[in-house]
Amino acid sequence: MPLIGDPLLASLLYGASVTFDLKAATQTVAAIASVATATTVNTTQIVQEQKDDQMGMDSTMPRNLYLAFSGLLLLCMIISHPRFLARLFASLPTSSSQPKKKDQVIIYPYSKQSIESLRPKREVSGGDLSQGWFLRKGRNSRIEISSPISTPDTSSKKDPFNSAFAYDEKSLSSATLDSSSYSNPKYYPPPHIIPLLNHLPFSSTFQFVTPFSILPSHLKSHLTLPQLYLIVGYLILIAFALVWKSDLSPASKDKGYGSDWMRSGLVATAQIPLTIALGVRGNIIGLCVGKGYERLKVYHKIVGRVVFLASTIHGAAYMYKWTVAGKFSAYAAKPFAMWGLLAYFALVLIVVTSLPWVRKAWHGVFEVCHFVGIVGLLVGLALHVAVAIPFCVAAMIIYLISIFFSLTKTRIAHAELQALPGAGTTVITIPGLKTGWRAGQHVRIRVPALGLLKAFESHPFTIASAPDGEGLVLMCKRAGDWTNQLYELAQRSSDFEDRAEGGRNQATIIIEGPYGGLGNTLITSFSSVVLIAGGSGITQSLSLAEDLISKSPTGVVRANTIDLIWMVKNEDNVKPFLTNLLKLINQAKQLEIECLESLKKGENLIKFNNSISLRIKIFITRCPASSPLNLLSNYFDEEFKIEEEEEIFIKHKSIDELKKNNYLSKSDSTKNLKQKNFLPLSSISIKPIKPNFDILINSIIDENSIGLRKRKINSSSSSGILITCCGPFNLIENVRNTIKNVNHQKKLDCGGIEFEDEHFGF
């Protein structure tokens, strides 16, 4: 190359006529060298820019993910928003209210007109938005009736239509009358809002479809199509976040992209606050969409598995990369890698102890490992990389807020324990807590008297009593070590009679709640309610039925009928609950009779319009069909009996009632009432067979669409049927399939069918 610039060599090669410009040649060589250097610099700059672009894309992906999650949450809120507004509207206070002064009103002298004057203006109610947050002692809202010292004038002719529920002027001593005993209702039912999903094509079917319920038991899932759509949408977002502009091929010197395994770690880290937010009991997301934390557990599991999968990909890829490069030992000894391994092992601890068979066999171990694993995961991850600190801080704040609200919902109460040998059930009665929950909600309890190992295990139980009653009642079925020890604790009684009945004891318990329930679904807004229970699932049905019946006289309940269908294995499971069931039947029947007699007297039809019928059907599945059932006859005293042919609960009529019936039989209006079937419908029956839900549910739908609409005088159309089911998965799936197969036109005629389920062991 140096010879090219020599003039003598050029003259020899090309001749004397050829001249050589030394300056131009030097400039040409310099230009070529500068171009080569510039190309090298530009390549390095491009590679660095590619690396910066990849890092920028990775760092902004969590933000983009949360924007997408916010969109999903907003969509869910829009779907539930109309019902929340209806509930809010039915919960707002109005200018007319009950007399205050400790909810006690002294009426003196006694007169029916004075009670009528206390009735507030009728208004919409039943939202109960202020209920269901904190358990409280409560107080009974009653009206005290006092009478003058002198004997009242009773010379007037006695009304031949007077019933046991009319005001008896013979007994004018001081007494208390429940404020719900006004002769006319005080409220209107809340508005019935049809869910937005019901307006979609084929919504009456796809909401009840569970595609994965036909799989084997270890793969079976009872997710409905709307839930699956939401989960699929979430998984699509995660897949997009993992692969969008993420080059996983090995990096090289001529490109800035490659080996982008940090993306999977960032995606996993971004999901940790969401996982905790979906799993804690103080659930902010559940508050936004009107669902309890137990309804969001399935999403908590899905997101948790995504975190574990993405973390596994992230860790395994980096280990492989270091091993191939021969630098595994060097990198593994660095602090960031050690903290990352700690975070991953904490995550593995959470996942392993969350397996269904582990969680069921060692529930206490599951709870401890969950807490230890969360702390280890957040600490290890925050020290692993600095970019994870904001997510770890957010997750810790969510967790601490949940703990704070759980503490505000926690009460230490004195409880009475009673063991029921036939049913294998422990009844827990807490007379000190009377209100603060909504029917259908549950609480979590801890019993320190069970010993150190079991003392602080938290177990959920549905409240079996309605609010504003005599106290909070729980029924705990023997199903494991903890419930067995609770049952044995109840049997430790010093009283011989209590031990003979199974056992009765007292204990101090830690009760947390209430949680869950029907959310923004207003059960009082439906035209008919069907409560289906299996085994100990009767607790939810009892609470809902008692609450509806107690509220019915106020006018807040739209339902004409409550159908309670209960499946049990044997008669012994029924006996402990039969007294409460008969009490509810009697209460509903008395209300029906009172309303009917008001109608017979030609009074306002509004009161008759708010009567409610309770029909209980008990099916004993492991009893021979030929075996006689003596449950009802054994539990009635001589005043009551069962009509075997009609299978309804009726009361023996006294001589006065027979005279009244004779009087009514001569009345044309009474004859017309009988022709129109305006008779009490409350009944109870027990059958030694398995129920046919196709027949039962379709008959209720037909009745609601045609027959009972005539009784709803102020309603031109039905407001739908609500069916609730509490029990094992198989029962819930059977009921759901029955609803799915109901004729579409029937669903339209009755105003639509909605289904709420609660399964065991959530």
Side-chain angles (χ1 to χ4, degrees):
M1 289 300 295
L3 296 177
I4 295 177
D6 190 351
L8 296 175
L9 181 59
S11 177
L12 179 63
L13 293 175
Y14 301 107
S17 60
V18 177
T19 60
F20 185 80
D21 190 349
L22 179 62
K23 183 177 180 180
T26 304
Q27 290 176 350
T28 301
V29 172
I32 294 173
S34 63
V35 169
T37 304
T39 302
T40 304
V41 172
N42 289 340
T43 302
T44 304
Q45 184 178 357
I46 291 172
V47 170
Q48 185 61 40
E49 289 178 355
Q50 290 176 345
K51 288 183 178 179
D52 293 341
D53 289 342
Q54 182 169 282
M55 291 295 294
M57 181 64 67
D58 290 346
S59 61
T60 58
M61 189 55 66
R63 181 195 64 188
N64 297 335
L65 267 180
Y66 271 95
L67 288 175
F69 294 158
S70 300
L72 282 179
L73 179 60
L74 182 62
L75 176 62
C76 296
M77 291 177 63
I78 291 174
I79 293 175
S80 62
H81 191 60
R83 285 210 154 167
F84 171 75
L85 290 180
R87 186 181 172 194
L88 178 64
F89 170 72
S91 304
L92 292 176
T94 59
S95 57
S96 59
S97 59
Q98 290 289 341
K100 296 181 176 177
K101 193 178 181 181
K102 298 182 180 180
D103 292 336
Q104 298 283 329
V105 179
I106 306 299
I107 303 175
Y108 183 88
Y110 171 82
S111 68
K112 185 173 180 179
Q113 288 73 18
S114 60
I115 295 181
E116 294 290 334
S117 64
L118 293 175
R119 187 184 306 114
K121 185 179 179 181
R122 198 173 182 188
E123 59 197 31
V124 175
S125 184
D128 294 336
L129 196 58
S130 62
Q131 299 295 323
W133 304 100
F134 303 99
L135 299 175
R136 303 189 302 273
K137 294 181 179 180
R139 58 188 179 185
N140 294 329
S141 179
R142 294 179 176 275
I143 297 177
E144 186 178 24
I145 301 177
S146 300
S147 63
I149 300 177
S150 59
T151 304
D153 182 17
T154 59
S155 59
S156 59
K157 185 177 179 181
K158 186 177 180 180
D159 187 355
F161 295 100
N162 186 30
S163 68
F165 293 90
Y167 300 102
D168 188 2
E169 299 187 40
K170 287 185 177 180
S171 55
L172 297 181
S173 57
S174 296
T176 59
L177 179 67
D178 193 283
S179 59
S180 64
S181 296
Y182 289 120
S183 60
N184 284 321
K186 305 185 295 294
Y187 304 113
Y188 290 110
H192 180 71
I193 304 297
I194 299 176
L196 292 181
L197 289 179
N198 288 12
H199 296 285
L200 297 177
F202 308 106
S203 61
S204 61
T205 300
F206 85 91
Q207 294 188 67
F208 304 104
V209 175
T210 53
F212 299 140
S213 61
I214 60 176
L215 297 177
S217 58
H218 57 285
L219 298 174
K220 182 180 293 187
S221 174
H222 297 273
L223 293 172
T224 60
L225 278 182
Q227 292 175 313
L228 286 175
Y229 291 155
L230 186 60
I231 292 173
V232 169
Y234 164 77
L235 294 178
I236 290 175
L237 291 176
I238 293 297
F240 177 82
L242 287 173
V243 303
W244 175 252
K245 292 185 178 181
S246 178
D247 188 359
L248 302 180
S249 62
S252 60
K253 295 181 180 179
D254 59 346
K255 68 174 184 177
Y257 297 106
S259 300
D260 187 18
W261 303 112
M262 184 179 292
R263 179 76 66 86
S264 57
L266 287 172
V267 170
T269 302
Q271 305 306 296
I272 292 177
L274 179 62
T275 308
I276 294 180
L278 289 169
V280 294
R281 292 193 284 273
N283 204 296
I284 301 175
I285 298 177
L287 186 63
C288 293
V289 298
K291 299 290 183 181
Y293 76 93
E294 77 283 358
R295 308 277 180 176
L296 303 180
K297 283 291 186 183
V298 60
Y299 306 110
H300 167 73
K301 295 177 182 178
I302 296 295
V303 178
R305 289 167 185 172
V306 168
V307 171
F308 178 70
L309 179 61
S311 301
T312 302
I313 294 174
H314 174 74
Y318 270 100
M319 288 181 182
Y320 174 76
K321 178 180 177 181
W322 296 340
T323 303
V324 171
K327 300 179 180 180
F328 179 80
S329 300
Y331 278 106
K334 293 184 178 181
F336 83 92
M338 297 178 65
W339 287 115
L341 286 174
L342 172 64
Y344 184 74
F345 287 141
L347 183 59
V348 171
L349 177 66
I350 294 174
V351 172
V352 171
T353 55
S354 298
L355 296 174
W357 62 273
V358 177
R359 187 173 66 245
K360 185 176 181 180
W362 298 289
H363 187 81
V365 174
F366 156 74
E367 288 189 340
V368 172
C369 290
H370 235 62
F371 177 78
V372 173
I374 289 174
V375 174
L377 173 64
L378 297 181
V379 172
L381 196 58
L383 297 175
H384 174 55
V385 287
V387 71
I389 293 178
F391 299 101
C392 295
V393 171
M396 183 61 71
I397 290 175
I398 293 173
Y399 194 63
L400 292 177
I401 290 175
S402 173
I403 293 176
F404 171 76
F405 279 109
S406 295
L407 291 175
T408 61
K409 286 173 169 283
T410 302
R411 304 287 185 269
I412 299 176
H414 174 77
E416 300 174 359
L417 311 180
Q418 181 180 3
L420 304 178
T425 301
T426 305
V427 178
I428 302 178
T429 305
I430 308 173
L433 298 175
K434 299 180 182 295
T435 188
W437 69 92
R438 296 179 67 199
Q441 288 188 304
H442 71 273
V443 294
R444 304 183 71 94
I445 64 171
R446 299 173 177 88
V447 184
L450 294 181
L452 183 61
L453 295 178
K454 302 288 184 181
F456 298 101
E457 282 191 21
S458 173
H459 290 260
F461 295 99
T462 304
I463 303 174
S465 56
D468 302 314
E470 298 178 356
L472 188 147
V473 178
L474 304 174
M475 297 183 179
C476 312
K477 179 78 173 179
R478 298 179 65 180
D481 293 339
W482 191 89
T483 49
N484 285 335
Q485 291 189 22
L486 180 65
Y487 184 83
E488 293 171 0
L489 176 65
Q491 287 182 315
R492 300 173 197 167
S493 176
S494 58
D495 189 276
F496 178 78
E497 293 184 0
D498 288 341
R499 289 200 304 270
E501 295 177 358
R504 192 184 297 268
N505 203 347
Q506 297 182 350
T508 299
I509 68 170
I510 303 173
I511 182 169
E512 177 190 339
Y515 295 111
L518 300 180
N520 291 328
T521 301
L522 296 176
I523 190 172
T524 54
S525 69
F526 290 85
S527 294
S528 181
V529 177
V530 182
L531 310 174
I532 301 175
S536 58
I538 188 63
T539 52
Q540 186 204 44
S541 300
L542 276 177
S543 176
L544 292 172
E546 183 180 350
D547 187 55
L548 288 172
I549 293 173
S550 62
K551 290 180 178 179
S552 180
T554 66
V556 77
V557 179
R558 178 177 281 113
N560 299 119
T561 57
I562 304 173
D563 290 275
L564 197 159
I565 303 171
W566 185 24
M567 294 175 58
V568 292
K569 294 179 180 179
N570 51 59
E571 294 182 71
D572 291 335
N573 293 330
V574 180
K575 292 178 182 178
F577 301 92
L578 197 54
T579 302
N580 289 337
L581 294 175
L582 295 178
K583 179 181 177 182
L584 291 177
I585 285 286
N586 192 32
Q587 187 177 352
K589 184 176 286 290
Q590 288 175 346
L591 179 62
E592 284 187 281
I593 294 173
E594 179 186 7
C595 295
L596 287 171
E597 293 195 354
S598 297
L599 183 64
K600 294 171 186 177
K601 291 188 292 185
E603 294 183 350
N604 199 324
L605 299 182
I606 297 178
K607 188 174 181 180
F608 170 75
N609 196 33
N610 287 277
S611 64
I612 191 168
S613 303
L614 175 62
R615 299 176 295 191
I616 300 177
K617 296 179 176 63
I618 303 174
F619 295 89
I620 302 178
T621 59
R622 296 186 181 179
C623 179
S626 59
S627 177
L629 293 176
N630 300 319
L631 283 172
L632 295 177
S633 59
N634 292 338
Y635 275 80
F636 286 117
D637 56 24
E638 60 182 6
E639 187 182 4
F640 298 97
K641 72 174 184 178
I642 292 294
E643 293 289 346
E644 297 181 356
E645 295 180 358
E646 299 181 359
E647 294 181 330
I648 61 172
F649 172 45
I650 65 173
K651 183 177 180 180
H652 274 306
K653 297 178 175 58
S654 63
I655 297 177
D656 292 336
E657 288 175 322
L658 291 174
K659 291 181 179 179
K660 181 176 65 177
N661 289 341
N662 185 36
Y663 179 90
L664 292 173
S665 63
K666 300 176 182 179
S667 171
D668 294 335
S669 61
T670 306
K671 293 178 182 179
N672 292 333
L673 285 174
K674 292 183 178 181
Q675 292 173 0
K676 294 181 180 180
N677 295 323
F678 285 165
L679 297 173
L681 299 178
S682 297
S683 62
I684 183 171
S685 65
I686 302 178
K687 298 180 180 179
I689 56 175
K690 292 184 178 180
N692 188 325
F693 288 110
D694 289 333
I695 297 176
L696 289 172
I697 292 179
N698 276 281
S699 64
I700 294 172
I701 294 173
D702 293 338
E703 184 183 54
N704 187 75
S705 302
I706 302 173
L708 289 185
R709 185 178 298 178
K710 298 178 181 179
R711 300 186 66 191
K712 193 67 178 177
I713 297 172
N714 290 339
S715 295
S716 59
S717 62
S718 176
S719 296
I721 299 176
L722 176 66
I723 300 178
T724 70
C725 184
C726 183
F729 274 119
N730 292 337
L731 173 62
I732 294 174
E733 195 62 27
N734 191 1
V735 175
R736 184 183 281 115
N737 289 333
T738 301
I739 300 173
K740 180 185 67 176
N741 296 329
V742 172
N743 182 271
H744 177 67
Q745 187 59 43
K746 281 188 175 183
K747 294 179 181 178
L748 294 179
D749 291 341
C750 69
I753 302 175
E754 296 186 35
F755 181 63
E756 294 284 343
D757 65 287
E758 180 178 306
H759 59 81
F760 294 158
F762 60 80

